[in-house]
Amino acid sequence: MGIQFKEVSFAYKGVKDERYDAIIDINLKIEQGEFVAIVGKTGSGKTTLAQHMNALLQPTKGTVNVFDYVLPGHKRQKIGPIRKRVGLVFQFPEYQLFEYTVLKDIMFGPKNFGLKEEEAKEKALLAAKLVGLPDEILESSPFRISGGQMRRVAIAGILAMEPDVLVLDEPTRGLDPKGAQEVMTIFNNMHKEYNKTIVLVSHDMDLISSYAERVIVLDEGRIIFDGPKKELFTHKDFPKFSLAKPKTYELMEYLAQKIKIPFKAIFNQEEILEYLKEIRNE
Ligand SMILES: Nc1ncnc2c1ncn2[C@@H]1O[C@H](COP(=O)(O)OP(=O)(O)OP(=O)(O)O)[C@@H](O)[C@H]1O
Ligand SMILES: [Mg+2]
């Protein structure tokens, strides 16, 4: 079993209006091995929802099951095991770097979960390789490397804990297009090769549509759509969702209209090319 939300609402403490919940009556189930995207306008509750998945926040109403754990748990319930299984990559994760060297920073998580120095180092080196960090920067200060590399260090720190689920809150924000592509390739490999569950929060519909199969749309704290991406763009209320369509999808609509080919929902360039070749040969 993966992650399940049952009737979950959450209100931030100190928010004066007591009726104000950041997420409201959330029901959802994410199975191990899925690649799910969470989208929605700014302030719609995406980060709040994502942070419930590794117990960084706990419901004020309802329950969240994370594997065998139920939240909110009893007072002395340990959160550590949940954090180990569900790694959360924050919006701008590089703000959390703090160790003297890159390697030490990546080792922090595994050590914190009780691994000995040598074992933690082994995991850290493997994670550094997975994210493509060159060996020579492992002994540098994490504050003397480029922003894109800092992001990789932060991601490696999560991967080193070998979580089953990766929750990614806008992991490509602020990166250049090449950097964004590289970071997404890392996550996609984790998904494809290691069967990791991926929960991706993003505003970028091109990114989402090229990787995720299932999309959850939030609006003012509520889920207004949860289903396969192909159904999202043809949903009768789609215009009200204030979401962009992926470029490839728009291109297919354009071609269907202009050169009268049958429309097909396609989410990457190679498939468009294949499709065009296919219909030319018919
Ligand atoms: N620490 C906080 N204290 C009080 N209210 C908060 C806090 N964090 C978020 N909120 C409020 O909760 C609601 C949901 O915020 P959240 O950050 O989950 O949205 P989001 O969809 O992630 O937005 P964005 O796309 O801008 O990242 C917003 O109305 C926000 O103002
Ligand atoms: Mg957010």
Side-chain angles (χ1 to χ4, degrees), residues 244-255:
K245 284 182 184 167
K247 288 198 188 78
T248 49
Y249 191 96
E250 281 188 325
L251 178 60
M252 283 306 297
E253 285 184 329
Y254 181 77
L255 292 175

Side-chain angles (χ1 to χ4, degrees), residues 36-232:
V36 186
I38 301 177
V39 302
K41 279 178 259 183
T42 176
S44 58
K46 302 181 296 297
T47 295
T48 307
L49 181 69
Q51 293 188 347
H52 277 76
M53 295 183 185
N54 86 336
L56 199 63
L57 296 176
Q58 299 203 22
T60 32
K61 253 188 10 229
T63 53
V64 179
N65 292 49
V66 185
F67 298 102
D68 297 332
Y69 307 95
V70 184
L71 301 163
H74 52 82
K75 277 214 178 74
R76 265 177 249 119
Q77 171 159 308
K78 288 202 168 72
I79 300 296
I82 299 175
R83 300 264 162 87
K84 157 113 191 45
R85 296 200 68 182
V86 183
L88 177 67
V89 176
F90 286 82
Q91 246 166 297
F92 299 111
E94 49 276 24
Y95 292 164
Q96 291 166 292
L97 301 176
F98 66 97
E99 288 280 6
Y100 294 112
T101 70
V102 165
L103 185 61
K104 282 204 162 54
D105 223 304
I106 304 174
M107 283 168 63
F108 178 80
K111 271 178 77 177
N112 203 28
F113 288 122
L115 287 194
K116 294 203 184 74
E117 186 83 11
E118 271 312 301
E119 288 171 311
K121 190 170 170 184
E122 220 170 90
K123 303 254 186 246
L125 290 172
L126 194 68
K129 216 178 227 116
L130 280 173
V131 303
L133 282 171
D135 285 347
E136 55 275 18
I137 73 158
L138 295 178
E139 294 305 323
S140 315
S141 157
F143 304 102
R144 292 183 179 214
I145 56 180
S146 75
Q149 282 175 330
M150 278 182 167
R151 181 81 49 107
R152 281 162 199 262
V153 173
I155 293 168
I158 302 289
L159 297 184
M161 294 188 272
E162 300 179 331
D164 298 305
V165 181
L166 288 165
V167 180
L168 314 166
D169 197 350
E170 311 215 21
T172 58
R173 198 175 195 173
L175 296 179
D176 61 41
K178 185 162 167 279
Q181 190 79 53
E182 287 168 358
V183 163
M184 281 313 299
T185 304
I186 298 167
F187 297 133
N188 203 38
N189 286 345
M190 298 306 294
H191 173 63
K192 289 253 149 45
E193 284 171 33
Y194 300 90
N195 195 37
K196 305 274 182 198
T197 309
I198 309 279
V199 180
L200 169 67
V201 175
S202 177
H203 283 279
D204 186 336
M205 293 308 286
D206 292 321
L207 200 86
I208 284 165
S209 66
S210 34
Y211 296 104
E213 277 309 318
R214 171 180 169 197
V215 182
I216 294 171
V217 184
L218 284 180
D219 184 46
E220 297 187 1
R222 294 178 195 272
I223 292 180
I224 54 168
F225 176 89
D226 179 358
K229 66 184 166 202
K230 281 191 178 146
E231 287 172 22
L232 171 63

